[in-house]
Amino acid sequence: MCELYSKRDTLELRKKHIGPSCKVFFASDPIKIVRARRQYMFDENGEQYLDCINNVAHVGHCHPEVVKAALKQMELLNTNSRFLHDNIVEYAKRLSATLPEKLSVCYFTNSGSEANDLALRLARQFRGHQDVITLDHAYHGHLSSLIEISPYKFQKGKDVKKEFVHVAPTPDTYRGKYREDHADPASAYADEVKKIIEDAHNSGRKIAAFIAESMQSCGGQIIPPAGYFQKVAKYVHGAGGVFIADEVQVGLGRVGKHFWSFQMDGEDFVPDIVTMGKPMGNGHPVACVVTTKEIAEAFSSSGMEYFNTYGGNPVSCAVGLAVLDIIENEDLQRNAMRVGNYLTELLKKQKAKHTLIGDIRGVGLFIGIDLVKDHLKRTPATAEAQHIIYKMKEKRVLLSADGPHRNVLKIKPPMCFTEEDAKFMVDQLDGVLTVLEEATGTKSESVTSENIPCKTKMLKEAHVELLRDSTTDSRENPSRKRNGMCADTHSLLSKRLKT
């Protein structure tokens, strides 16, 4: 492998020149990746890792057709998006064809964060309203306007929620306010939004938008109950607001059954604005906002021109078109459904075997494993999740953990993921869970703590240490960013398990 620096020197240079808030995966023992291909990544020693988390490399790392499309266009032309060019209109036409008919106007940007920021501008200009309803634990991007509506990033005691931001409960039927035993969780969660709207109106405020990921990723791989979005849209439209569906992480066929995740809610549900990013360019920076003609015309009527120098440039659009072609030519949407179903079945068998697994949820190649210490109380197994991630890395499988308690293992691999990959990943997870449960005395429900007082004490100490480190909101602690890696906790738990 060709390297400019040794791993040690790379780390030292990163510490010197890269901002300290920019964290890496597996902070206590980071991997240096020098190349990648399809669903595999390789370190400087040539070791192969199965990538189960990189939803950016949507059709596979370094796909030759994507590389060829970028190179061909770069050799010909790349320029300011204000020049007339066929690629942008062809790409807009192709994207629109995958969406409901009324979603036909595109604005191209360079990132999902830019797309969500623009979506807020569109929504606020539409009827002149200001307020935004967001979901608890949501994350919509790193711009200031998006941090304000991303409870995932709020710092308790530091950030004061803006008056125009309203936070609705996450529609989580496993550990949320209304669970799977509720007669109608979709209506119950939607009524929470209705009450927010009523309270806002009573305070003289007006709702501009409701924004939500079609499936919440950072919130813990949450699949909303069927009918929830339709009911919310009805209340939001009644208040003069618009519905923004954030598909940045979950779009382009990842759910298998549909091209866009919001389409799981049926043909009678159509968002007013859809944002997309990450997977569109397979690693190339391209993103988009798609909306209706009515909203686009209202935005234009403000008199302010929207201009993005590189949004929709010829190379980005050529790459985006190549990604759409690959999804179709390699039947990756059907692959997501077939492999996703297979993986889910394998994981359900593991759930029956391992007491640490509380819930398996997901659609297609978007799956979450909710780890718990107690099935009845559904107590989050945070320390165990961090330990498992590092042990899986040792097995050459890359996973991450997230959710408000960082106890949900996230699986969202490149779309070329195979059944063989799924089987390998689950086999490694089975082994790691078996060793962990034997060491901590949680192998079966019938095992009592009296039989393993020492090991149980060790695990409890690890959790006490974790909680002590989390006196401020752990979601914003520098060592606990989006990758969900907690070096100190992992190190502590590993040492205790080995004693």
Side-chain angles (χ1 to χ4, degrees):
M1 303 300 171
C2 180
E3 297 178 82
L4 289 176
Y5 307 103
S6 68
K7 182 176 178 178
R8 176 180 293 180
D9 289 344
T10 300
L11 279 168
E12 288 305 312
L13 285 167
R14 185 179 178 93
K15 290 176 183 177
K16 182 178 180 180
H17 296 297
I18 306 300
S21 58
C22 301
K23 299 300 177 181
V24 296
F25 283 122
F26 312 105
S28 69
D29 183 26
I31 309 172
K32 183 176 182 180
I33 296 297
V34 297
R35 69 182 181 92
R37 190 75 167 181
R38 292 181 62 80
Q39 64 271 48
Y40 303 108
M41 305 182 82
F42 301 85
D43 68 14
E44 76 279 14
N45 299 314
E47 292 286 351
Q48 175 179 290
Y49 293 83
L50 178 62
D51 183 1
C52 299
I53 55 177
N54 225 312
N55 61 330
V56 178
H58 194 63
V59 298
H61 291 279
C62 303
H63 195 291
E65 292 302 315
V66 173
V67 174
K68 183 163 56 174
L71 179 60
K72 181 179 178 181
Q73 184 59 52
M74 287 183 76
E75 288 180 331
L76 187 64
L77 169 72
N78 197 29
T79 187
N80 189 305
S81 56
R82 275 186 165 178
F83 286 102
L84 193 63
H85 195 272
D86 287 343
N87 282 9
I88 190 170
V89 294
E90 175 64 12
Y91 192 26
K93 184 179 75 171
R94 290 276 301 276
L95 280 176
S96 298
T98 68
L99 292 159
E101 186 176 359
K102 79 170 191 175
L103 292 168
S104 59
V105 182
C106 300
Y107 295 85
F108 288 101
T109 66
N110 303 295
S111 70
S113 290
E114 281 189 22
N116 281 329
D117 176 77
L118 177 57
L120 291 181
R121 290 177 59 191
L122 288 166
R124 285 169 168 155
Q125 176 63 31
F126 184 47
R127 288 202 171 95
H129 298 179
Q130 176 72 10
D131 289 24
V132 176
I133 302 173
T134 186
L135 293 179
D136 203 7
H137 313 307
Y139 176 77
H140 293 290
H142 61 80
L143 276 68
S144 297
S145 63
L146 303 174
I147 295 297
E148 290 176 345
I149 63 164
S150 295
Y152 181 87
K153 289 289 183 180
F154 290 174
Q155 297 185 72
K156 292 179 181 176
K158 295 182 180 180
D159 289 341
V160 177
K161 182 174 69 65
K162 301 295 191 295
E163 192 178 6
F164 59 81
V165 178
H166 310 276
V167 181
T170 301
D172 178 359
T173 57
Y174 180 67
R175 62 170 68 254
K177 188 174 182 179
Y178 308 107
R179 299 186 175 184
E180 72 277 2
D181 57 353
H182 192 281
D184 187 1
S187 294
Y189 278 116
D191 285 345
E192 295 281 345
V193 177
K194 180 182 179 183
K195 185 177 186 304
I196 286 173
I197 293 172
E198 291 171 349
D199 290 345
H201 285 177
N202 290 336
S203 300
R205 307 197 65 86
K206 296 180 180 180
I207 303 299
F210 172 90
I211 183 171
E213 288 182 280
S214 302
M215 299 188 297
Q216 206 171 3
S217 181
C218 288
Q221 306 294 86
I222 304 301
I223 315 299
Y228 170 71
F229 283 149
Q230 286 97 326
K231 297 175 189 298
V232 168
K234 177 182 176 182
Y235 297 142
V236 172
H237 289 155
V242 301
F243 192 110
I244 303 171
D246 181 339
E247 294 267 340
V248 171
Q249 295 211 52
V250 297
L252 280 87
R254 179 161 292 279
V255 297
K257 296 179 181 178
H258 305 282
F259 202 77
W260 303 103
S261 297
F262 74 79
Q263 292 172 322
M264 292 190 298
D265 279 61
E267 294 182 1
D268 60 334
F269 170 64
V270 180
D272 303 290
I273 301 173
V274 176
T275 60
M276 50 193 80
K278 291 185 188 299
M280 293 179 72
N282 210 55
H284 185 87
V286 56
C288 189
V289 178
V290 187
T291 189
T292 65
K293 287 185 178 180
E294 184 183 14
I295 292 174
E297 287 170 359
F299 187 56
S300 179
S301 69
S302 70
M304 182 184 294
E305 177 187 4
Y306 175 72
F307 172 55
N308 189 316
T309 304
Y310 296 112
N313 69 75
V315 172
S316 292
C317 290
V319 167
L321 285 165
V323 169
L324 293 180
D325 287 340
I326 294 163
I327 293 172
E328 181 178 350
N329 296 338
E330 298 184 8
D331 206 8
L332 293 182
Q333 188 176 331
R334 183 178 297 180
N335 185 70
M337 181 168 61
R338 179 177 57 83
V339 177
N341 288 341
Y342 176 70
L343 176 54
T344 299
E345 288 304 312
L346 291 179
L347 290 172
K348 285 180 178 178
K349 291 178 182 177
Q350 293 299 311
K351 180 178 181 290
K353 179 179 179 181
H354 297 287
T355 58
L356 275 170
I357 298 179
D359 190 38
I360 302 295
R361 52 180 176 262
V363 184
L365 288 176
F366 181 89
I367 299 170
I369 306 173
D370 198 312
L371 300 177
V372 298
K373 294 185 290 183
D374 184 299
H375 273 249
L376 189 60
K377 297 179 181 178
R378 302 184 180 183
T379 312
T382 301
E384 291 87 345
Q386 314 312 310
H387 175 79
I388 288 167
I389 287 167
Y390 276 84
K391 286 300 178 183
M392 288 294 281
K393 178 174 74 78
E394 292 176 11
K395 303 288 186 181
R396 303 295 184 261
V397 177
L398 304 181
L399 286 174
S400 66
D402 221 325
H405 308 287
R406 292 178 297 108
N407 69 304
V408 180
L409 303 183
K410 298 170 66 172
I411 304 171
K412 42 188 180 66
M415 295 276 281
C416 52
F417 208 69
T418 67
E419 289 186 350
E420 291 74 20
D421 297 325
K423 180 69 164 55
F424 177 75
M425 189 216 81
V426 173
D427 285 346
Q428 304 312 307
L429 181 61
D430 180 24
V432 170
L433 286 170
T434 298
V435 172
L436 178 59
E437 289 173 341
E438 288 176 349
T440 58
T442 56
K443 185 171 175 56
S444 71
E445 297 287 357
S446 62
V447 176
T448 61
S449 59
E450 286 79 10
N451 296 329
I452 45 157
C454 184
K455 288 174 182 174
T456 302
K457 181 174 181 291
M458 289 189 291
L459 186 60
K460 286 181 178 177
E461 288 175 359
H463 286 296
V464 168
E465 187 69 25
L466 175 70
L467 292 172
R468 186 180 300 129
D469 289 342
S470 303
T471 51
T472 57
D473 191 343
S474 63
R475 283 167 285 164
E476 223 21 67
N477 187 302
S479 67
R480 297 175 173 86
K481 293 286 184 178
R482 291 192 70 182
N483 59 18
M485 304 308 174
C486 176
D488 295 340
T489 302
H490 158 74
S491 180
L492 173 70
L493 186 56
S494 291
K495 289 175 182 176
R496 295 188 188 282
L497 288 174
K498 290 173 182 176
T499 57

